[in-house]
Amino acid sequence: MNILLLGSGGREHALAWKITQSEKIDKLYIAPGNAGTSELGENVNLNLSDFSKIKKFAIEKNVELVVVGPEQPLVDGIADYFLEDKSLKNISVIGPVKAGAILEGSKDFAKEFMSKYNIPTASYKSFSKASINEGKAFLEEVSSPYVLKADGLAAGKGVLILEDLEEAKKSLEEMLQGQFGKASDTVVIEEFLSGIELSVFVLTDGKSYKILPEAKDYKRIGEADTGLNTGGMGAVSPVPFADKGFMDKVEERVIKPTIEGLINENIDYKGFVFFGLIKVGEDPFVIEYNVRMGDPETEVVVPRIKSDIVDLFLHVKNETLEKAKIEFNPEACATVMMVSGGYPGNYEKGKKIEIPEINDSLVFHAGTKYDSSDIVTNGGRVIAVSSYGKDIFEALKKSYQNVDSIQFDGKYYRSDIGFDLK
Ligand code: AMP
Ligand code: GLY
């Protein structure tokens, strides 16, 4: 079967790596892909917001499955577009319809959904320009630190955590005045939760689900979790503090009611659900939903899946996931993200990358491309080096050895991934 994978990051390289191990795959197309994915299939230059071009390409190339990496096309309704078009009835999309993608596309919707289905999350209220004064009064009632979230997609930058009340009021004003464009027309103000974060993933066919290995991601640019937020600087799986007792609570209190809620709302959800969780004491709370896999979490989760991922996708398509067997690799996996100097602020692209032959790690490309026969940097996050180990620390050691051997001008990485888990 031919598959079209949408996206261009480390997540997509890891998915492409796994998809091409399936016996069921004939040809993999990746749009737009990166230098790494071009070694596994054919990169195609499609604009992910141009659904009619994607449709034309999929029909022309006999694509049967479209796997959507990033959230934007899902929030824009790519799954609906394929479902509604009769000429596309033989092509299935792995990724939820718009009514499901809004779990990530609107924090206000996600909060309402959680409150309706009794899913533990921070208490909150939402405000718009018309209710700005109520918003400021609410900030006076709650205590510091203040958590302000743009309702819509804001490229991971829409959450502000402020200590000072006056600063929080000023930020609320700025957000409602369009600091994040339309994404902050509504602002969610919520209770600050103190704990340790982790990411839990499920694959669902809209009826049942399979829980994938959990992961912990390191979002800040600086060592010891300091400095600006990034897309993610490294990840580990498994997460030592996510023991069986805790994961049972996650399933009972978070995963089950979410899937049941989706069914109850008649939302046709076929794809990944990413639960951004925080462990407060011994209890899980949902910080956010994402409707896709995480990046760089995919670079540690997917290597730990033993089963054929295309098989699992077909079970999702046919709504037979309940019957599917899913096996995991008991080894740990860790990834270290190499980024361009200056990221997440301004950085230069086009730096030549030297990659020696590496046999004991998986080198997943993110922002890379071919410039004639050279591989050059093409984004902030450049390469994720993933390794297996008997535990995450052994895996990290291998990743760091190989990170040392990959060179490009301005290369930066955090040398303390996993520091808080020792
Ligand atoms: P989000 O974009 O919703 O994942 O938020 C970005 C980051 O802000 C999270 O990864 C947390 O570190 C932090 N955060 C979000 N909501 C809260 C909260 N209610 N309490 C404490 N930290 C939070
Ligand atoms: N690594 C966090 C995310 O993918 O949203």
Side-chain angles (χ1 to χ4, degrees):
M1 126 178 14
N2 296 341
I3 295 182
L4 171 63
L5 170 64
L6 303 182
S8 62
R11 167 181 52 210
E12 285 75 22
H13 191 185
L15 285 168
W17 171 79
K18 186 73 185 158
I19 288 169
T20 51
Q21 287 167 39
S22 170
E23 281 176 9
K24 296 202 162 71
I25 182 89
D26 291 316
K27 174 126 193 186
L28 176 66
Y29 297 97
I30 312 97
N34 58 38
T37 63
S38 72
E39 308 285 344
L40 297 168
E42 184 179 332
N43 284 356
V44 269
N45 198 8
L46 293 171
N47 176 343
L48 301 193
S49 55
D50 191 343
F51 296 167
S52 72
K53 279 242 173 70
I54 297 175
K55 163 185 166 174
K56 199 166 154 253
F57 179 85
I59 292 174
E60 220 174 81
K61 301 291 182 185
N62 262 321
V63 164
E64 281 179 57
L65 214 53
V66 179
V67 180
V68 186
E71 64 278 11
Q72 191 73 53
L74 296 167
V75 172
D76 293 344
I78 192 164
D80 311 68
Y81 182 90
F82 273 69
L83 278 173
E84 284 157 16
D85 189 326
K86 286 205 176 64
S87 66
L88 297 172
K89 73 174 188 317
N90 295 325
I91 308 178
S92 301
V93 174
I94 301 299
V97 293
K98 210 171 177 169
I102 196 171
L103 277 180
E104 176 165 359
S106 166
K107 301 228 185 244
D108 182 45
F109 175 88
K111 297 296 282 191
E112 242 180 82
F113 179 90
M114 287 186 267
S115 120
K116 182 166 175 188
Y117 293 102
N118 265 321
I119 296 163
T121 187
S123 59
Y124 81 107
K125 269 192 179 165
S126 299
F127 301 94
S128 65
K129 230 178 186 166
S131 55
I132 189 163
N133 290 329
E134 286 95 318
K136 288 183 187 170
F138 183 67
L139 284 170
E140 281 174 12
E141 280 167 35
V142 297
S143 48
S144 167
Y146 306 96
V147 182
L148 274 58
K149 299 187 170 183
D151 174 53
L153 294 183
K157 299 195 172 83
V159 176
L160 300 180
I161 298 179
L162 303 150
E163 304 282 334
D164 181 73
L165 176 62
E166 291 313 310
E167 235 179 88
K169 286 184 184 170
K170 195 165 149 256
S171 291
L172 175 65
E173 233 167 64
E174 286 167 357
M175 286 172 91
L176 290 172
Q177 276 157 5
Q179 184 182 0
F180 300 103
K182 280 193 81 56
S184 61
D185 279 358
T186 299
V187 172
V188 172
I189 300 179
E190 68 178 37
E191 170 201 8
F192 179 83
L193 296 175
S194 190
I196 184 157
E197 287 176 57
L198 76 157
S199 310
V200 170
F201 306 91
V202 305
L203 181 64
T204 178
D205 59 2
K207 292 194 162 94
S208 72
Y209 58 85
K210 297 285 180 210
I211 303 177
L212 307 180
E214 76 288 351
K216 184 171 196 315
D217 150 40
Y218 292 79
K219 289 203 176 90
R220 303 294 196 94
I221 188 71
E223 317 248 297
D225 288 343
T226 54
L228 294 174
N229 256 324
T230 70
M233 297 295 291
V236 299
S237 177
V239 178
F241 61 82
D243 54 26
K244 174 145 188 345
F246 178 75
M247 289 305 287
D248 285 347
K249 287 183 190 171
V250 171
E251 180 165 18
E252 286 307 314
R253 298 179 191 177
V254 176
I255 297 174
K256 276 191 186 158
T258 297
I259 303 298
E260 282 161 13
L262 290 168
I263 295 169
N264 195 52
E265 302 289 324
N266 275 320
I267 296 173
D268 182 17
Y269 199 115
K270 291 189 166 63
F272 295 101
V273 190
F274 167 164
F275 302 88
L277 302 179
I278 186 162
K279 185 183 184 194
V280 182
E282 288 302 313
D283 296 318
F285 286 78
V286 178
I287 293 265
E288 63 167 349
Y289 284 112
N290 295 305
V291 298
R292 50 171 175 83
M293 285 299 290
D295 194 352
E297 289 97 325
T298 306
E299 292 93 304
V300 296
V301 171
V302 159
R304 296 193 63 219
I305 301 174
K306 241 195 200 163
S307 312
D308 181 327
I309 203 167
V310 175
D311 241 3
L312 292 170
F313 289 156
L314 291 176
H315 278 293
V316 169
K317 167 189 166 172
N318 298 323
E319 299 184 0
T320 51
L321 195 60
E322 198 175 0
K323 286 192 252 161
K325 275 229 162 59
I326 182 161
E327 282 189 283
F328 302 112
N329 185 336
E331 276 189 297
C333 190
T335 197
V336 175
M337 187 63 83
M338 305 175 68
V339 306
S340 299
Y343 172 80
N346 295 332
Y347 55 84
E348 289 176 15
K349 295 183 187 177
K351 307 289 181 196
K352 185 173 174 187
I353 311 170
E354 308 278 0
I355 310 174
E357 195 179 318
I358 291 175
N359 297 314
D360 54 349
S361 289
L362 300 163
V363 177
F364 292 128
H365 290 226
T368 72
K369 67 170 188 182
Y370 270 105
D371 179 2
S372 41
S373 62
D374 290 339
I375 295 175
V376 299
T377 63
N378 190 38
R381 294 194 292 172
V382 177
I383 283 176
V385 180
S386 297
S387 314
Y388 293 106
K390 69 174 187 320
D391 57 28
I392 55 175
F393 303 106
E394 190 184 278
L396 281 163
K397 201 169 156 202
K398 274 191 226 163
S399 283
Y400 279 120
Q401 275 164 2
N402 287 317
V403 160
D404 276 343
S405 72
I406 298 174
Q407 302 301 340
F408 55 89
D409 260 7
K411 142 183 163 183
Y412 171 78
Y413 58 91
R414 266 180 68 169
S415 57
D416 68 340
I417 302 303
F419 77 100
D420 54 340
L421 302 174
K422 279 193 179 128

